[in-house]
């Protein structure tokens, strides 16, 4: 079988110029060749994050950067309030508990946006809380949380604000400085559209003050952000404490140049919003229902229930892979049996992928399930959009 085209929430199929950059000979992670590449990459990441804060690029998955940010900002025994409405919010809880934080989980149903009213009530009940943590966009369910309202709560209660933006930053408008986010985290293999392996953090001045004031014995070494801060402040050509993945940073630079200079950041967001709208319309046309309401729908991934005539979602997933070469993702948790996930990032956010995917969905329901579907019905949203990417 030929390599499938990825419709995953990550990793993603990346664009040719980024792939080309990834194939170049390895550079040392310091010196006159790599130094300007690193500085340009950091500058463009500040544009993506909409921040003047320090940017840290780690050779790590997004979860590694989350680990570093959480263990550096909070110490064992501190109360940390977390909005929990999906599997990746639960991962934040697991990380915090691994560092022996006292987690106050504010639960909401999976597939629904986290409720700021419930969060306010929790913060009022826990005046000793040391911080507020939220996932901006949970790829497990395809829900977008109202981080603007959570930012307001963090300001009101004077709490450091930690945002997991792994599948969000770059995909839609999240102005880190304007919102007052103290630690924002993303990774290379989502909306930044390159290969896995880089965890990226934006860290505010207030966060650095908190990090430096707290005991670091529980942090280890590599994931202690104060180690990275010290390295960046030291003189010389090596502003990080260990070897960087120079090839991944070279490819990230190529992708960021494409996003910022060719698409423009607003154009990048617009392409994702277009893909979200077209995919959701097409799914509904063939009888599949997105789990999340339109107002809270992710711009980077859609989770949908397959038509009730299909006994298990895996049947549709296998059909798309074998007959059309598209690899969709299994859903998670309570949605695992009857739902699938499709990403809109990288090439999956283009007509080149979306149109044949939707036509493949049509074909499954027409030929395998015997549904009476007009040919091309799944493309009506694409036609109405009047735009093509």
């Amino acid at each position: 079988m030929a390599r499938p085209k990825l419709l995953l929430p990550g990793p993603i199929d990346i664009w040719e110029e980024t792939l080309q950059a990834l194939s170049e000979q390895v550079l040392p992670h310091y010196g006159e060749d790599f130094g300007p590449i690193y500085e340009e990459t950091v500058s463009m990441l500040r544009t993506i994050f909409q921040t003047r804060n320090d940017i840290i690029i780690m050779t790590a998955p997004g979860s590694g950067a989350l680990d570093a940010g959480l263990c550096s900002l909070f110490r064992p025994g501190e109360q940390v309030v977390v909005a929990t409405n999906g599997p990746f919010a639960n991962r934040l809880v697991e990380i915090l508990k691994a560092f022996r934080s006292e987690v106050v989980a504010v639960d909401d149903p999976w597939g629904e946006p986290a409720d700021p009213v419930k969060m306010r009530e929790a913060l009022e009940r826990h005046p000793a809380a040391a911080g507020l943590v939220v996932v901006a966009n949970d790829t497990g369910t395809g829900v977008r949380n109202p981080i603007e309202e959570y930012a307001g709560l963090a300001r009101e209660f004077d709490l450091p604000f930690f945002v997991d933006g792994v599948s969000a930053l770059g995909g839609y408008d999240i102005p880190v400085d304007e919102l007052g986010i103290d630690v924002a985290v993303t990774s290379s293999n989502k909306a930044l559209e390159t290969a896995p392996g880089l965890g990226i953090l934006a860290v505010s001045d207030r966060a650095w003050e908190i990090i430096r004031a707290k005991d670091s014995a529980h942090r280890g070494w590599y994931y202690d952000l104060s180690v990275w801060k010290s390295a960046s402040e030291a003189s010389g050509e090596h502003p990080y404490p260990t070897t960087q993945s120079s090839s991944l940073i070279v490819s990230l630079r190529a992708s960021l140049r494409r996003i910022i200079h060719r698409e423009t950041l607003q154009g990048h967001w617009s392409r994702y919003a277009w893909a979200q709208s077209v995919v959701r319309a097409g799914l509904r046309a063939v009888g599949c229902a997105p789990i999340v309401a339109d107002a809270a729908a992710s711009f980077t991934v859609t989770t949908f229930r397959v038509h009730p005539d299909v006994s298990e979602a895996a049947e549709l997933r296998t059909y798309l892979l074998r007959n059309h070469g598209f690899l969709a993702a299994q859903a998670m948790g309570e949605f695992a049996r009857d739902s699938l996930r499709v990403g809109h990032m990288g090439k999956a956010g283009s007509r080149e992928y979306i149109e044949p995917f939707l036509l493949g969905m049509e074909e499954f329901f027409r030929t395998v399930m015997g549904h009476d579907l007009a040919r091309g019905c799944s493309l009506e949203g694409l036609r109405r959009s009047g735009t093509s990417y």
Side-chain angles (χ1 to χ4, degrees):
M1 181 185 294
R3 180 194 177 278
K5 295 180 178 179
L6 303 186
L7 293 176
L8 304 177
I12 62 171
D13 281 349
I14 62 180
W15 301 97
E16 280 70 21
E17 60 262 50
T18 307
L19 192 61
Q20 176 62 39
L22 193 61
S23 71
E24 293 175 2
Q25 187 56 271
V26 176
L27 289 174
H29 61 289
Y30 52 85
E32 62 182 17
D33 290 328
F34 184 71
I37 292 172
Y38 184 80
E39 291 170 6
E40 181 186 357
T41 303
V42 167
S43 177
M44 289 189 290
L45 286 169
R46 285 199 174 98
T47 299
I48 295 288
F49 280 79
Q50 301 177 71
T51 188
R52 294 185 175 183
N53 292 341
D54 286 342
I55 296 290
I56 292 175
I57 306 173
M58 287 184 159
T59 302
S63 293
L66 292 170
D67 198 307
L70 290 169
C71 81
S72 297
L73 195 60
F74 305 114
R75 64 172 175 242
E78 287 186 321
Q79 285 186 343
V80 184
V81 188
V82 185
T84 49
N85 63 326
F88 290 97
N90 290 349
R91 178 171 297 180
L92 299 179
V93 170
E94 290 180 19
I95 294 171
L96 285 163
K97 287 184 175 179
F99 291 110
R100 303 185 305 283
S101 294
E102 180 185 336
V103 176
V104 178
V106 183
D107 296 328
D108 282 293
W110 282 26
E112 296 182 15
D115 184 354
V117 174
K118 291 173 68 173
M119 178 58 71
R120 172 185 290 280
E121 293 169 351
L123 293 174
E124 290 172 346
R125 291 194 305 269
H126 296 89
L132 174 56
V133 174
V134 65
V135 176
N137 180 87
D138 200 307
T139 53
T141 61
V143 72
R144 194 164 30 91
N145 285 321
I147 59 168
E148 296 85 356
E149 296 182 57
Y150 282 86
L153 289 171
R155 287 192 297 273
E156 180 181 343
F157 287 85
D158 193 25
L159 293 173
F161 187 33
F162 184 104
V163 172
D164 171 351
V166 167
S167 64
L169 279 154
Y172 61 98
D173 186 13
I174 301 179
V176 166
D177 285 0
E178 181 181 321
L179 293 174
I181 299 172
D182 291 292
V183 178
V185 178
T186 194
S187 66
S188 53
N189 62 305
K190 305 283 188 178
L192 302 187
E193 299 190 334
T194 189
L198 297 177
I200 303 160
L201 306 95
V203 185
S204 73
D205 289 343
R206 178 167 78 154
W208 285 126
E209 291 176 5
I210 293 170
I211 290 167
R212 284 173 160 161
K214 291 182 178 179
D215 177 66
S216 63
H218 67 289
R219 298 177 189 165
W221 183 80
Y222 186 79
Y223 288 132
D224 180 353
L225 291 186
S226 66
V227 172
W228 289 76
K229 180 67 168 174
S230 295
S232 72
E233 292 176 338
S235 59
E237 59 181 6
H238 202 289
Y240 18 79
T242 186
T243 303
Q244 284 280 28
S245 180
S246 56
S247 294
L248 287 176
I249 292 172
V250 167
S251 72
L252 176 59
R253 180 185 68 157
S255 183
L256 294 176
R257 282 179 164 182
R258 184 183 194 278
I259 291 169
I260 293 170
H261 301 311
R262 187 185 305 179
E263 282 193 298
T264 74
L265 186 53
Q266 290 74 18
H268 188 66
W269 298 336
S270 294
R271 176 165 62 86
Y272 279 26
W274 167 86
Q276 177 226 57
S277 174
V278 169
V279 167
R280 290 170 71 86
L283 291 171
R284 286 174 170 137
V286 299
C288 295
I291 286 171
V292 179
D294 289 347
S298 168
F299 291 112
T300 57
V301 61
T302 294
T303 302
F304 64 94
R305 284 192 172 89
V306 302
H307 192 284
D309 287 354
V310 183
S311 59
E312 290 194 7
E315 181 183 0
L316 172 58
R317 183 172 184 258
T318 299
Y319 180 89
L320 290 169
L321 179 59
R322 289 180 177 172
N323 293 275
H324 295 277
F326 283 110
L327 180 60
Q330 294 177 310
M332 303 176 75
E334 65 190 83
F335 304 122
R337 181 171 181 176
D338 67 354
S339 303
L340 294 176
R341 298 181 294 154
V342 291
H344 314 141
M345 297 169 284
K347 286 191 169 184
S350 70
R351 183 168 186 159
E352 175 189 352
Y353 277 43
I354 290 171
E355 182 171 346
F357 158 67
L358 291 175
L359 290 175
M361 293 283 291
E362 271 186 39
E363 183 182 278
F364 173 82
F365 285 105
R366 188 183 298 113
T367 62
V368 178
M369 304 306 299
H371 291 188
D372 183 16
L373 293 175
R375 294 188 182 276
C377 67
S378 65
L379 304 182
E380 183 57 33
L382 190 154
R383 289 189 285 265
R384 285 199 311 266
S385 73
T387 306
S388 186
Y389 290 91

